[in-house]
Amino acid sequence: NHFGLCGGSYYRSEAVLDAFDPKHVKRIDYKNMQKLEGDKTMSSDFAMLVAFYARGWKVYPWEETSQYWVDPRKPDEKERKSERPSAAFEHAHKEQYHVPV
């Protein structure tokens, strides 16, 4: 249900050059994936994840990162994999986006 790669990501150069080499990307059937998975396949986050996995690269969140959730998890909700209150970095704080610079 949850995927994401772009904002604040770190990538190994070797993995990027390999996964996004046009000869490898051409082999990925995004058109058929869109039929099965819908419009999320057109998201760069999804497309990048597929390209990495298609070449056998492991993709996972860094243990010291967490996703900031606007709506806190309810006590009866299952723990979110991306929610780590003790993490050094927390992504998606947008409380100040409306403030003029």
Side-chain angles (χ1 to χ4, degrees):
N1 286 350
H2 184 76
F3 60 90
L5 283 177
C6 289
S9 297
Y10 292 94
Y11 306 101
R12 179 178 286 172
S13 300
E14 179 187 4
V16 171
L17 294 172
D18 176 60
F20 303 128
D21 185 314
K23 70 181 175 211
H24 300 307
V25 174
K26 275 193 254 181
R27 296 182 198 157
I28 301 170
D29 188 358
Y30 285 108
K31 190 178 270 189
N32 195 43
M33 262 188 260
Q34 185 179 23
K35 289 177 190 172
L36 298 170
E37 296 293 333
D39 287 341
K40 72 180 174 185
T41 59
M42 297 300 112
S43 157
S44 60
D45 285 357
F46 185 92
M48 290 169 65
L49 189 64
V50 169
F52 281 125
Y53 278 133
R55 295 293 302 152
W57 292 101
K58 292 180 184 177
V59 178
Y60 53 90
W62 179 32
E63 288 181 15
E64 283 302 321
T65 61
S66 180
Q67 177 68 31
Y68 173 73
W69 294 87
V70 176
D71 299 319
R73 185 169 47 93
K74 294 172 182 67
D76 60 328
E77 272 186 310
K78 195 170 97 176
E79 189 173 311
R80 299 168 177 149
K81 289 181 182 179
S82 61
E83 188 175 37
R84 294 183 189 92
S86 64
F89 301 98
E90 195 169 49
H91 175 262
H93 277 280
K94 298 179 181 178
E95 299 91 346
Q96 302 298 318
Y97 274 30
H98 68 283
V99 177
V101 180

